[in-house]
Amino acid sequence: NSKTVACAFFGRGICFLQQENRASATEEFLKAINAAIFTPALLHKGAEISFRFLWQADAQSDAKRVLRRFLITLDKLPEGEARNVTLQFLSGLAAWEMKTCWLEAWRALIESEQVEVKEALQFLEPVAKVLAGEDRVLLDALPPEQREFSNQVLARFEAKPTG
């Protein structure tokens, strides 16, 4: 089934990355994202892992290729599903060591032609602005619920794990 195939492609991609073969890893990740279309949970997790691994391997152009494929695949999902998958993807990237990566992904996704994706991400704009270096005081103008949510998201980028 498509889930098994997608998992196999992801596994091969990770193996290629461990061998420092980024080109082959990227191709396997792209195949995996295509195969994961029928399994939204696998789609967002696979795209997140692929994007994260390539970014951390200093292969940003390949990571951006994965992101573009992710966007194409999102367009094929049933209405409402792309929103959830996109938010889960970004949520998975929200970690202290992924600030730049998360910001790059958010920018690419918000600039997409997909209205559903853009609308889903609009409320994260204050988070993106703070991560890009703007003063956190801009959060003060937000409604209390949105301000609290933005602070919770930003806290994930500040909390470096200990140990």
Side-chain angles (χ1 to χ4, degrees):
N1 69 28
S2 65
K3 182 177 180 180
T4 303
V5 171
C7 287
F9 285 134
F10 282 125
R12 286 173 47 103
I14 291 168
C15 288
F16 281 125
L17 263 186
Q18 289 174 337
Q19 297 167 1
E20 297 185 19
N21 184 343
R22 293 180 192 146
S24 294
T26 301
E27 291 307 314
E28 294 302 309
F29 289 147
L30 294 174
K31 291 177 195 174
I33 290 169
N34 283 341
I37 183 71
F38 301 109
T39 312
L42 183 60
L43 175 59
H44 81 78
K45 196 63 175 168
E48 173 213 324
I49 290 168
S50 303
F51 189 73
R52 177 189 292 263
F53 280 178
L54 288 167
W55 193 272
Q56 291 177 326
D58 206 25
Q60 283 82 8
S61 63
D62 290 328
K64 289 176 185 179
R65 284 183 63 205
V66 165
L67 192 56
R68 285 191 298 276
R69 180 66 52 90
F70 178 62
L71 273 166
I72 291 167
T73 308
L74 286 175
D75 201 33
K76 298 175 184 175
L77 293 177
E79 189 173 332
E81 195 70 48
R83 171 188 169 81
N84 295 334
V85 170
T86 301
L87 291 173
Q88 290 171 342
F89 168 76
L90 280 176
S91 177
L93 292 177
W96 71 272
E97 75 278 14
M98 301 302 290
K99 262 185 213 183
T100 305
C101 178
W102 187 95
L103 188 56
E104 185 71 35
W106 181 85
R107 285 177 178 149
L109 291 166
I110 198 79
E111 292 172 3
S112 80
E113 299 297 319
Q114 298 178 29
V115 175
E116 183 180 357
V117 171
K118 289 174 91 154
E119 288 174 354
L121 298 180
Q122 199 62 43
F123 77 100
L124 289 169
E125 186 173 10
V127 172
K129 285 181 176 181
V130 171
L131 289 177
E134 289 192 32
D135 196 316
R136 206 176 183 125
V137 73
L138 73 90
L139 301 179
D140 293 345
L142 298 174
E145 317 79 49
Q146 191 177 0
R147 183 174 53 248
E148 181 180 334
F149 177 80
S150 295
N151 280 319
Q152 288 172 353
V153 173
L154 287 166
R156 292 178 68 186
F157 293 103
E158 296 163 358
K160 182 177 179 176
T162 57

